[in-house]
């Protein structure tokens, strides 16, 4: 459940402008942090050894096989792929 924030009353346009600038700074800092974390998450590791590359491909193959088998099991139990969403 989201916490309700108390809104303080503003008495002048200067206070509103000052609060807006503070919020812009906070948003900019949060955007920089998100960009940094996203960059870490999506960076490529090009310096993998040959064995690590082969292991990565095997892992992807196993994940693809698992996905196909899961879809096949769902299709067999529900009759059709589209019936999965009707029940």
């Amino acid at each position: 459940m989201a916490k309700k924030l108390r809104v303080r009353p503003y008495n002048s346009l200067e206070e509103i402008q000052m609060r807006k600038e503070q919020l812009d700074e906070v948003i900019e800092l949060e955007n920089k942090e998100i960009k940094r974390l996203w960059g870490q998450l999506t960076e490529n590791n090009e310096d993998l050894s040959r064995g690590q590359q082969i292991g990565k491909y095997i892992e992807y193959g196993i994940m693809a096989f698992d996905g196909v088998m899961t879809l096949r099991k769902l299709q067999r139990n529900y009759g059709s792929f589209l019936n999965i969403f009707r029940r």
Side-chain angles (χ1 to χ4, degrees):
M1 179 181 262
K3 191 187 245 187
K4 278 192 167 182
L5 298 175
R6 294 179 56 186
V7 178
R8 64 183 184 108
Y10 296 103
N11 298 321
S12 67
L13 289 176
E14 289 81 20
E15 290 178 359
I16 294 173
Q17 183 65 28
M18 196 166 57
R19 179 67 178 149
K20 181 183 174 211
E21 290 171 1
Q22 289 173 347
L23 290 174
D24 285 342
E25 289 174 7
V26 169
I27 290 171
E28 184 64 31
L29 289 174
E30 289 175 353
N31 281 340
K32 286 180 181 178
E33 181 67 14
I34 289 170
K35 286 179 184 178
R36 184 186 65 80
L37 292 173
W38 185 256
Q40 285 180 351
L41 183 66
T42 59
E43 71 183 9
N44 285 336
N45 294 331
E46 297 297 330
D47 55 346
L48 296 177
S49 70
R50 185 70 176 154
Q52 289 172 331
Q53 289 176 350
I54 292 171
K56 182 175 71 170
Y57 295 139
I58 291 172
E59 181 180 348
Y60 289 157
I62 291 171
M63 286 190 299
F65 179 76
D66 186 44
V68 167
M69 294 308 293
T70 301
L71 285 175
R72 185 171 175 259
K73 181 189 264 187
L74 288 172
Q75 187 177 14
R76 188 177 47 194
N77 288 338
Y78 290 101
S80 171
F81 182 72
L82 296 176
N83 289 340
I84 294 170
F85 302 108
R86 291 184 184 156
R87 289 189 181 189

